[in-house]
Amino acid sequence: MWGEGNLTPNYILFCACGSFGALQFVAGKYARRDLTPFAPRLAQLVGAVFVIFAFAWFFRIQPDLFIPGLAGGEFVVYSFVGFVIAFLISRLLGWLATRFTPRHVHALAPRKRELHSK
Amino acid sequence: MNPDVALFHLLNNLTGTFLALDTIALFIVNDYAVPALFAFIVGALWFAGHAERERVVFKSGVLSTLVGLLLANLIVKLCWMTFFRPRPFAAEETVRLLFYRPSVSSFPSEPVATLMALAFGVYLFERRVGLIMLALTFAFAFTRVMAGVHYPSDVIAGALIGAGAVYAPFRYGAATNGLNARIIDLAKRFGLA
């Protein structure tokens, strides 16, 4: 199931890290407070850093990427597993941020947006 | 000489010419970098959108793209069952190989069909991101030929299959709209939307 060496766990971790980055970026761009604990701009920055880090780490730790590795079906399954892990972490962080953010911050947020729209 | 083979040799001869080009090609051509990046993007787009209506458009787009992706892979597998084309490194002399030796049929290119299905599918509902993905798909297809694992016609056929397969659910997706809505409702119920 785990293929040669540490390729599979490393690939799952790579997908989890990259998916988490992409999710944070989108959560920042579309102001999805349920998926990120960060402010929109910061979430986009954190997202980009996570995606770049995921690639840098994976390509550094797996020098044998140019020999036959995972098969097509394995790619799909492991990518999905990585994405689910990233989604659950994002949801948890979003929930924690909402749970422990003082109420007046939530109350101010829409008003601030209204001011910008005017 | 067959123009397909001539173009293959022209691109394959770039291998080993410039170290920088080889390094970039190695990063793009492998099975991990571009496909994984596309998976990250498509997964994240499921959660995109400001208003509820916009979010439904994104979610429907992602679902249609995935249907197109399945269709593209099915078409490629059917092609492989009816036709086998040897890889350039097996059929030609003096091929500079930058990659491992895949054993499946060269025609059509499955990874290019897969990436094109994802890129063109995203392009149909999110133009800017889709254009970046299309550019990366083009670079991937180019490097597959350069690396000596495909003929140009293989990647062109793969791209056409991918684009055609993903266009169908968007163009004739009325039948699947109800199904998309049900999947989105179900996802919302389980907190996945």
Side-chain angles (χ1 to χ4, degrees):
Chain A
M1 182 199 169
W2 292 101
E4 292 282 319
N6 289 325
L7 179 60
T8 303
N10 285 341
Y11 184 70
I12 292 173
L13 199 56
F14 164 59
C15 286
C17 195
S19 297
F20 179 76
L23 278 174
Q24 291 305 303
F25 190 88
V26 164
K29 190 168 190 301
Y30 294 99
R32 299 252 341 210
R33 300 289 303 169
D34 56 334
L35 287 174
T36 181
F38 307 112
R41 280 279 165 86
L42 182 60
Q44 289 183 53
L45 183 68
V46 169
V49 168
F50 261 87
V51 172
I52 292 166
F53 170 78
F55 276 95
W57 170 77
F58 185 67
F59 277 82
R60 195 165 182 277
I61 206 162
Q62 287 292 154
D64 52 345
L65 286 176
F66 307 103
I67 57 169
L70 301 173
E74 289 172 326
F75 275 117
V76 175
V77 172
Y78 299 149
S79 300
F80 183 72
V81 170
F83 181 76
V84 169
I85 293 168
F87 169 70
L88 291 175
I89 293 170
S90 298
R91 265 274 196 259
L92 179 68
L93 290 176
W95 179 79
L96 286 173
T98 315
R99 178 81 176 75
F100 295 107
T101 305
R103 284 191 177 187
H104 69 273
V105 176
H106 291 298
L108 280 175
R111 203 180 292 168
K112 201 175 170 185
R113 218 178 295 141
E114 280 167 26
L115 282 173
H116 279 293
S117 64
K118 282 174 188 172
Chain B
M1 187 190 271
N2 179 342
D4 192 29
V5 177
L7 185 58
F8 165 76
H9 282 294
L10 187 73
L11 297 180
N12 183 240
N13 283 341
L14 291 171
T15 300
T17 315
F18 306 105
L19 182 63
L21 186 64
D22 282 0
T23 310
I24 295 167
L26 273 171
F27 182 72
I28 295 172
V29 78
N30 68 79
D31 296 334
Y32 301 88
V34 182
L37 181 67
F38 282 18
F40 302 160
I41 293 171
V42 172
L45 283 175
W46 174 261
F47 297 96
H50 286 288
E52 183 56 31
R53 201 171 166 179
E54 195 186 2
R55 286 181 188 178
V56 170
V57 170
F58 274 107
K59 284 178 181 53
S60 295
V62 169
L63 287 174
S64 298
T65 301
L66 293 179
V67 170
L69 175 68
L70 284 174
L71 202 58
N73 275 278
L74 191 70
I75 294 168
V76 169
K77 295 282 190 298
L78 285 173
C79 290
W80 284 354
M81 283 166 71
T82 52
F83 179 76
F84 181 85
R85 184 186 202 184
R87 297 275 177 168
F89 55 75
E92 307 293 326
E93 287 174 16
T94 66
V95 171
R96 299 174 183 181
L97 204 58
L98 197 64
F99 200 58
Y100 69 84
R101 295 167 183 264
S103 55
V104 292
S105 176
S106 187
F107 182 93
S109 167
E110 189 189 33
V112 172
T114 299
L115 294 185
M116 182 52 104
L118 291 172
F120 193 58
V122 169
Y123 175 78
L124 292 174
F125 67 92
E126 170 60 66
R127 292 281 151 110
R128 275 187 301 176
V129 179
L131 277 175
I132 295 167
M133 291 171 76
L134 284 169
L136 281 170
T137 304
F138 177 79
F140 183 83
F142 179 87
T143 52
R144 294 292 283 199
V145 178
M146 188 188 143
V149 289
H150 279 299
Y151 290 102
S153 57
D154 302 336
V155 297
I156 291 169
L160 289 174
I161 288 170
V166 84
Y167 186 67
F170 278 93
R171 179 72 177 83
Y172 306 103
T176 59
N177 280 350
L179 184 65
N180 282 357
R182 274 189 199 173
I183 292 172
I184 293 167
D185 278 345
L186 201 65
K188 275 182 191 167
R189 206 172 294 171
F190 288 98
L192 303 171

